[in-house]
Amino acid sequence: MPDGFTSAEERAAFIAALPKAELHLHIEGSLEPELMFELAQRNKVAIPFASVEDVRAAYAFSNLQDFLDIYYQGMGVLHSERDFYDLTAAYLTRAHADAVRHVEIFFDPQGHTDRGVAFGTVIAGITRALDDARTSYGMTSKLIMCFLRHLSEAEAEKTLDEALPFLDRIDGVGLDSSEVGHPPAKFERVFGRARSLGLKIVAHAGEEGPPAYVHEALDLLKVHRIDHGNRSLEDPALIARLAAEGMTLTVCPLSNLKLCVVNDITAHPLKTMLDAGLKATINSDDPSYFGGYVNANYQAVADALDLSKDDIVTLARNSFAGSFLNETGRAKHLAAIDAYAAAA
Ligand code: HPA
Ligand code: ZN
């Protein structure tokens, strides 16, 4: 029996309605095969799949690059403001169903501008859906623009220039794509400029890359959060540092399984992270590609690692505490979690 619950079913019900924030979600990775087909038809884009089943069958990856190849191909169906709206609205509906109260969404502008889609078109569609979710669901959001690390720093600088007219809608910058061989140091200057513009800073580090990349993200990019961070566990001094600094890690269990960062979900280090005092959170990363939205991620680790009620409450609390909401917003959600846990 899981600690704090009378059955595994009771734990599942507790997770399902637990108020939570999602802090690591690539909006382009929420493109479900059904919508991919619809948009391919709408925009007369050829895709190399005959059916939705064909698409799902192609989602077998042995590492990050395997996934990225198909992820960049998939986003090629996105062209108009309406496409970005539909994509984002579909994700937000799913998140709302998972009791997500606040989202911090990544987008990859270079994946679109490099295909001739205007930066403003991407922003307009995404933000219209975010605004609607605030009205319809009371869901709040932040938007984080990621630089593709396999491209040059000069290209990231150009993307930051393109973002300047839209900084009223962009809250932070991140770093994603192929990690190994593209360390945070490669982007030190552009992140410095982003900081001077008042943007929040995050970076994927320690997903496939070594602990040294996590150190660099902290020291050179001066991140407010680390995305993934799994390989930090190989470096005891780094674990101690992350714990002492209260650094949030946005962990993505089903992503880790699908990209072979872990061999088996029962070997996932989430519980080890919590026990080491790290501020881990649970997130879905690219839910369409990795087989589940945020609640499915909570459920997978809860079952595999037999998480207690205290563990699950800690994870949800970490998600708001590590968010870019202001102090009042964070406090409101933390109180709601405590009330929910006390009543359950
Ligand atoms: N890692 C790096 N880049 C990405 C990911 C990820 O998990 N998802 C989308 N882009
Ligand atoms: Zn990611």
Side-chain angles (χ1 to χ4, degrees):
M1 212 68 79
D3 239 26
F5 299 106
T6 57
S7 66
E9 290 72 32
E10 190 183 313
R11 180 171 60 194
F14 182 79
I15 288 170
L18 175 66
K20 53 185 79 72
E22 178 149 55
L23 305 180
H24 185 154
L25 178 283
H26 302 263
I27 197 63
E28 297 90 347
S30 72
L31 177 63
E32 291 287 342
E34 289 79 5
L35 185 58
M36 188 190 294
F37 267 83
E38 191 183 324
L39 298 185
Q41 275 189 340
R42 186 188 288 176
N43 296 320
K44 307 199 172 20
V45 176
I47 52 173
F49 304 109
S51 67
V52 162
E53 293 69 39
D54 248 27
V55 183
R56 290 220 160 82
Y59 292 176
F61 315 112
S62 48
N63 55 42
L64 174 58
Q65 194 60 49
D66 264 7
F67 154 70
L68 289 170
D69 292 342
I70 212 158
Y71 165 83
Y72 294 124
Q73 179 187 71
M75 68 175 76
V77 301
L78 296 160
H79 281 266
S80 66
E81 189 267 0
R82 181 180 163 208
D83 300 341
F84 287 95
Y85 176 86
D86 289 350
L87 171 73
T88 309
Y91 162 70
L92 294 168
T93 299
R94 299 261 201 165
H96 178 61
D98 278 3
V100 172
R101 304 283 190 251
H102 175 74
V103 292
E104 304 199 348
I105 290 184
F106 296 139
F107 72 114
D108 283 332
Q110 291 159 299
H112 311 302
T113 53
D114 287 0
R115 300 182 287 112
V117 178
F119 197 102
T121 300
V122 180
I123 290 277
I126 294 174
T127 57
R128 184 160 65 89
L130 295 176
D131 292 346
D132 281 0
R134 182 186 282 264
T135 307
S136 312
Y137 304 141
M139 193 191 293
T140 52
S141 53
K142 304 282 178 189
L143 189 55
I144 300 174
M145 165 175 93
C146 286
F147 301 121
L148 299 182
R149 68 201 304 158
H150 67 274
L151 301 178
S152 68
E153 185 177 45
E155 284 165 290
E157 292 278 12
K158 197 176 109 213
T159 301
L160 185 54
D161 288 338
E162 284 180 304
L164 294 177
F166 306 102
L167 286 189
D168 59 325
R169 295 309 309 253
I170 298 174
D171 302 284
V173 297
L175 187 64
D176 66 0
S177 193
S178 320
E179 186 179 5
V180 174
H182 303 286
K186 179 178 164 186
F187 296 94
E188 187 176 355
R189 285 141 302 260
V190 71
F191 273 79
R193 185 153 72 98
R195 283 198 310 279
S196 72
L197 289 165
L199 292 161
K200 299 288 189 193
I201 304 294
V202 299
H204 284 55
E207 181 184 20
E208 287 189 344
Y213 285 20
V214 179
H215 280 290
E216 280 188 17
L218 296 168
D219 293 332
L220 305 181
L221 306 189
K222 307 193 192 307
V223 292
H224 298 104
R225 293 198 295 254
I226 293 284
D227 295 315
H228 295 295
N230 298 47
R231 289 195 60 193
S232 307
L233 294 175
E234 295 168 23
D235 178 344
L238 179 56
I239 297 173
R241 176 178 183 186
L242 292 168
E245 293 182 8
M247 181 60 57
T248 299
L249 305 183
T250 63
V251 181
C252 307
L254 291 174
S255 165
N256 293 158
L257 182 64
K258 281 284 194 170
L259 300 187
C260 305
V261 169
V262 296
N263 294 325
D264 191 282
I265 196 71
T266 58
H268 196 280
L270 196 270
K271 178 75 177 146
T272 307
M273 289 170 167
L274 291 179
D275 291 346
L278 298 177
K279 299 266 185 244
T281 62
I282 300 259
N283 307 273
S284 67
D285 206 2
D286 301 280
S288 162
Y289 292 90
F290 301 149
Y293 287 77
V294 70
N295 281 0
N297 277 271
Y298 270 81
Q299 194 59 52
V301 279
D303 287 340
L305 308 177
D306 200 29
L307 297 186
S308 68
K309 187 170 178 178
D310 282 350
D311 293 330
I312 293 165
V313 167
T314 297
L315 289 163
R317 288 183 61 88
N318 288 351
S319 74
F320 289 108
S323 76
F324 296 139
L325 284 166
N326 65 23
E327 184 57 40
T328 314
R330 285 199 301 265
K332 179 189 88 176
H333 289 292
L334 292 172
I337 290 175
D338 292 344
Y340 176 82

